[in-house]
Amino acid sequence: MLALRLTRAAHLAVQLRRLLVTVASAGTGFLLLCALGHAMTHPDAPGAAALRLAWCAAPLAATVYLAVAVARTDPGTRPRPGLSAIGLGPGRLMAVSATTTALTGALGSVVALLLFLHLRGDLTGRPFHGAVTDALAIGHPLPFPAALTLLTLVPATASAAVALALRPREPRPAPPPGSRRYGRFGAYGWGAARETFGTYGRFGARLAPASPAGSPAAPLAGGRAAGAAGAGAGGALLTQASATHPTPPADAPQPTPDAVPDRPTPPPTEATATTAPPPRPQNTTTLPWGIAVLTAGLAVETYAGNTTAASAPGTTPSAGVLIGWALTALGLAMAGPGLTHLCGRLLQTARPGALRLLAGRVLMDESHRVGRPLGVVCAVASGAYAGTALYGADGPAFGPLSVLGVLLVVGCTVATLLTAAVEAKHARADTTDALLRLGAPPATLRAAAAVRAGALLALFGPLTLIVAQLASLPLAG
């Protein structure tokens, strides 16, 4: 009941995102029912029916991925101060999100079942005759237990994925200062101690030479260090007024540590614990693993594509090609955050100005949010390019069900990337407001966004073309 009330009281943008999940769930459920109908029409070819059902895994994964992204950006299920006192802690809110996702997916499954029955003629008595008649199994009784089992795949999988992604996590202890953490596979953990905006040298403070005490450069370095310490955890920009401090005379009495009384640290309250969570470390150590999985996927796809072309040219790709594409997509998704983090670091090289420094720091801070959806979009684009090489003049027919599957995968991945971009924009809203209060012109912020988009396009564009060309070589031959 609480999930229904939160669904009804949500904003228009949230309702539109849930509607996208419903449409994607309906399309995926219809493809699953069509695979069942093809198996009923051709009972003597179980291998082809199983292959059709296996190809439905791509739109199913894209739909689940979109559902998780929509659940992350739902403002109605975010922890707020005081909710734990009325029994709405993190675990209960996670259950509400999972229930809302299950209801949204179930609505799409019901729409898919009604559309399938309508095209079969079970509701109107006039069956549809066209290109998908073979997949509708017209004239055969529909096994409702099998159909309901297939239709529950989307809401059940999406609900389980949301519960797994939004489960309450205990905060990890911070590493000791000065410790160097290396990730797996020999990768250096860049994001072990998360650097926030303004900590990277304050426009060249790290390049300033060490000055002896009492020299004119010492107060300047100290001011820069104090400014660098003003960046708060979680990427929020904490600023303080800068003033010119005169150098004290040599015979002036120096303050001692005993002169400043110790202030007791106030205990953390529920509001601070909820609104100011510990900074999330940026996981960039998956970059070498992503490259390894990507290479393995290309190798499997090349072997399976050559085998299929040699045995039965001009046919639908085998399950080995599907496994290769899945590994390629997984590798690009794993390498996406590391590549985005690397792109932000490259923007800050060679004495960056304010524009490049701002764009680079934002990219590094948002690498865990937009990096993985960017990798998935690159995988889908490379797969579409390889599909055009496969379904050429000599390839198999590209029917309406294939068009529906492609539209579902492309639409879900693009919608997930846009949802992640909106989530990142809301996460840095406090930093943007602070920059505007300090006098930063809005044109500079728009220029920084353009620089980020151009840098990501310059990195991921050639990568997508290279992967697409390598993936299409065995299929085109």
mmCIF file of all heavy atoms in Angstrom, residues 55 89 120 130 134 149 177 179 182 184 207-208 214 218 282 300 400 455 469:
data_model
loop_
_atom_site.group_PDB
_atom_site.id
_atom_site.type_symbol
_atom_site.label_atom_id
_atom_site.label_comp_id
_atom_site.label_asym_id
_atom_site.label_seq_id
_atom_site.Cartn_x
_atom_site.Cartn_y
_atom_site.Cartn_z
ATOM 1 N N TRP A 55 18.215 -15.144 -27.425
ATOM 2 C CA TRP A 55 18.391 -13.772 -27.929
ATOM 3 C C TRP A 55 17.505 -12.778 -27.191
ATOM 4 O O TRP A 55 17.752 -11.567 -27.263
ATOM 5 C CB TRP A 55 18.106 -13.732 -29.419
ATOM 6 C CG TRP A 55 19.298 -14.080 -30.249
ATOM 7 C CD1 TRP A 55 19.555 -15.263 -30.867
ATOM 8 C CD2 TRP A 55 20.417 -13.240 -30.536
ATOM 9 N NE1 TRP A 55 20.759 -15.217 -31.524
ATOM 10 C CE2 TRP A 55 21.313 -13.983 -31.347
ATOM 11 C CE3 TRP A 55 20.760 -11.942 -30.198
ATOM 12 C CZ2 TRP A 55 22.517 -13.459 -31.799
ATOM 13 C CZ3 TRP A 55 21.951 -11.425 -30.659
ATOM 14 C CH2 TRP A 55 22.817 -12.175 -31.448
ATOM 15 N N GLY A 89 13.262 2.777 7.650
ATOM 16 C CA GLY A 89 14.711 2.821 7.569
ATOM 17 C C GLY A 89 15.198 2.465 6.178
ATOM 18 O O GLY A 89 14.418 2.313 5.228
ATOM 19 N N ARG A 120 -3.423 -12.819 -31.623
ATOM 20 C CA ARG A 120 -3.784 -14.212 -31.891
ATOM 21 C C ARG A 120 -5.262 -14.370 -32.231
ATOM 22 O O ARG A 120 -5.668 -15.391 -32.799
ATOM 23 C CB ARG A 120 -3.466 -15.073 -30.667
ATOM 24 C CG ARG A 120 -2.018 -15.494 -30.565
ATOM 25 C CD ARG A 120 -1.777 -16.195 -29.230
ATOM 26 N NE ARG A 120 -2.778 -17.219 -28.950
ATOM 27 C CZ ARG A 120 -2.664 -18.493 -29.320
ATOM 28 N NH1 ARG A 120 -1.597 -18.899 -29.996
ATOM 29 N NH2 ARG A 120 -3.609 -19.381 -29.012
ATOM 30 N N GLY A 130 0.193 -11.608 -40.892
ATOM 31 C CA GLY A 130 1.278 -10.770 -41.367
ATOM 32 C C GLY A 130 2.602 -11.470 -41.195
ATOM 33 O O GLY A 130 2.699 -12.711 -41.225
ATOM 34 N N ASP A 134 3.833 -16.503 -37.778
ATOM 35 C CA ASP A 134 4.510 -17.725 -37.364
ATOM 36 C C ASP A 134 4.829 -17.711 -35.874
ATOM 37 O O ASP A 134 4.829 -18.752 -35.215
ATOM 38 C CB ASP A 134 5.793 -17.889 -38.180
ATOM 39 C CG ASP A 134 6.418 -19.266 -37.969
ATOM 40 O OD1 ASP A 134 5.668 -20.188 -37.635
ATOM 41 O OD2 ASP A 134 7.645 -19.396 -38.127
ATOM 42 N N THR A 149 4.919 -17.948 -16.688
ATOM 43 C CA THR A 149 6.300 -18.099 -16.220
ATOM 44 C C THR A 149 7.243 -17.155 -16.965
ATOM 45 O O THR A 149 8.109 -16.518 -16.352
ATOM 46 C CB THR A 149 6.752 -19.558 -16.405
ATOM 47 O OG1 THR A 149 5.885 -20.413 -15.667
ATOM 48 C CG2 THR A 149 8.180 -19.744 -15.909
ATOM 49 N N PRO A 177 46.015 7.397 6.751
ATOM 50 C CA PRO A 177 46.633 8.442 5.920
ATOM 51 C C PRO A 177 48.029 8.031 5.477
ATOM 52 O O PRO A 177 48.810 7.471 6.233
ATOM 53 C CB PRO A 177 46.659 9.662 6.849
ATOM 54 C CG PRO A 177 46.572 9.096 8.231
ATOM 55 C CD PRO A 177 45.758 7.849 8.123
ATOM 56 N N SER A 179 48.692 5.802 3.234
ATOM 57 C CA SER A 179 48.783 4.431 2.738
ATOM 58 C C SER A 179 48.457 4.415 1.259
ATOM 59 O O SER A 179 47.578 5.138 0.788
ATOM 60 C CB SER A 179 47.816 3.522 3.499
ATOM 61 O OG SER A 179 46.487 3.944 3.279
ATOM 62 N N TYR A 182 46.664 -0.616 -3.763
ATOM 63 C CA TYR A 182 46.705 -1.121 -5.124
ATOM 64 C C TYR A 182 45.516 -2.043 -5.344
ATOM 65 O O TYR A 182 45.188 -2.874 -4.496
ATOM 66 C CB TYR A 182 48.001 -1.891 -5.400
ATOM 67 C CG TYR A 182 49.185 -0.984 -5.496
ATOM 68 C CD1 TYR A 182 49.872 -0.590 -4.361
ATOM 69 C CD2 TYR A 182 49.597 -0.508 -6.720
ATOM 70 C CE1 TYR A 182 50.957 0.258 -4.447
ATOM 71 C CE2 TYR A 182 50.688 0.336 -6.819
ATOM 72 C CZ TYR A 182 51.368 0.712 -5.683
ATOM 73 O OH TYR A 182 52.435 1.546 -5.785
ATOM 74 N N ARG A 184 43.206 -4.827 -7.729
ATOM 75 C CA ARG A 184 43.487 -6.126 -8.308
ATOM 76 C C ARG A 184 44.095 -5.965 -9.695
ATOM 77 O O ARG A 184 43.945 -4.953 -10.354
ATOM 78 C CB ARG A 184 42.195 -6.940 -8.401
ATOM 79 C CG ARG A 184 41.592 -7.246 -7.030
ATOM 80 C CD ARG A 184 40.330 -8.071 -7.205
ATOM 81 N NE ARG A 184 39.733 -8.398 -5.922
ATOM 82 C CZ ARG A 184 38.600 -9.078 -5.798
ATOM 83 N NH1 ARG A 184 37.972 -9.496 -6.875
ATOM 84 N NH2 ARG A 184 38.119 -9.339 -4.605
ATOM 85 N N LEU A 207 52.984 22.788 -7.699
ATOM 86 C CA LEU A 207 54.175 23.126 -8.464
ATOM 87 C C LEU A 207 55.017 24.203 -7.796
ATOM 88 O O LEU A 207 56.099 24.517 -8.272
ATOM 89 C CB LEU A 207 53.764 23.598 -9.868
ATOM 90 C CG LEU A 207 52.952 22.587 -10.679
ATOM 91 C CD1 LEU A 207 52.579 23.188 -12.037
ATOM 92 C CD2 LEU A 207 53.748 21.312 -10.881
ATOM 93 N N ALA A 208 54.498 24.806 -6.715
ATOM 94 C CA ALA A 208 55.249 25.857 -6.056
ATOM 95 C C ALA A 208 56.412 25.263 -5.270
ATOM 96 O O ALA A 208 56.247 24.277 -4.563
ATOM 97 C CB ALA A 208 54.329 26.648 -5.109
ATOM 98 N N GLY A 214 59.017 32.214 7.073
ATOM 99 C CA GLY A 214 59.228 33.640 7.148
ATOM 100 C C GLY A 214 59.390 34.303 5.808
ATOM 101 O O GLY A 214 59.434 35.524 5.737
ATOM 102 N N ALA A 218 55.858 31.680 1.830
ATOM 103 C CA ALA A 218 55.289 30.761 2.811
ATOM 104 C C ALA A 218 53.831 31.056 3.117
ATOM 105 O O ALA A 218 53.013 30.144 3.167
ATOM 106 C CB ALA A 218 56.121 30.789 4.096
ATOM 107 N N GLN A 282 35.895 5.898 -5.526
ATOM 108 C CA GLN A 282 35.746 5.666 -6.948
ATOM 109 C C GLN A 282 36.480 4.388 -7.317
ATOM 110 O O GLN A 282 37.680 4.276 -7.137
ATOM 111 C CB GLN A 282 36.301 6.849 -7.736
ATOM 112 C CG GLN A 282 35.587 8.164 -7.424
ATOM 113 C CD GLN A 282 36.308 9.343 -8.027
ATOM 114 O OE1 GLN A 282 37.371 9.205 -8.596
ATOM 115 N NE2 GLN A 282 35.720 10.507 -7.884
ATOM 116 N N VAL A 300 36.041 -14.849 -28.422
ATOM 117 C CA VAL A 300 34.952 -15.818 -28.516
ATOM 118 C C VAL A 300 34.064 -15.509 -29.713
ATOM 119 O O VAL A 300 33.647 -16.413 -30.469
ATOM 120 C CB VAL A 300 34.139 -15.819 -27.211
ATOM 121 C CG1 VAL A 300 32.869 -16.653 -27.353
ATOM 122 C CG2 VAL A 300 34.978 -16.348 -26.067
ATOM 123 N N PRO A 400 10.302 -7.876 -38.216
ATOM 124 C CA PRO A 400 9.783 -6.885 -37.262
ATOM 125 C C PRO A 400 10.137 -7.192 -35.814
ATOM 126 O O PRO A 400 10.316 -6.271 -35.008
ATOM 127 C CB PRO A 400 8.267 -6.934 -37.500
ATOM 128 C CG PRO A 400 8.012 -8.252 -38.138
ATOM 129 C CD PRO A 400 9.223 -8.567 -38.932
ATOM 130 N N ALA A 455 35.195 15.817 -24.439
ATOM 131 C CA ALA A 455 36.254 14.894 -24.022
ATOM 132 C C ALA A 455 35.771 13.455 -24.017
ATOM 133 O O ALA A 455 36.475 12.539 -24.460
ATOM 134 C CB ALA A 455 36.766 15.289 -22.634
ATOM 135 N N GLN A 469 34.509 -2.423 -35.428
ATOM 136 C CA GLN A 469 35.209 -2.977 -36.578
ATOM 137 C C GLN A 469 35.760 -4.365 -36.269
ATOM 138 O O GLN A 469 35.667 -5.287 -37.104
ATOM 139 C CB GLN A 469 36.340 -2.040 -37.005
ATOM 140 C CG GLN A 469 37.015 -2.400 -38.313
ATOM 141 C CD GLN A 469 36.086 -2.269 -39.497
ATOM 142 O OE1 GLN A 469 35.152 -1.494 -39.456
ATOM 143 N NE2 GLN A 469 36.334 -3.053 -40.532
#
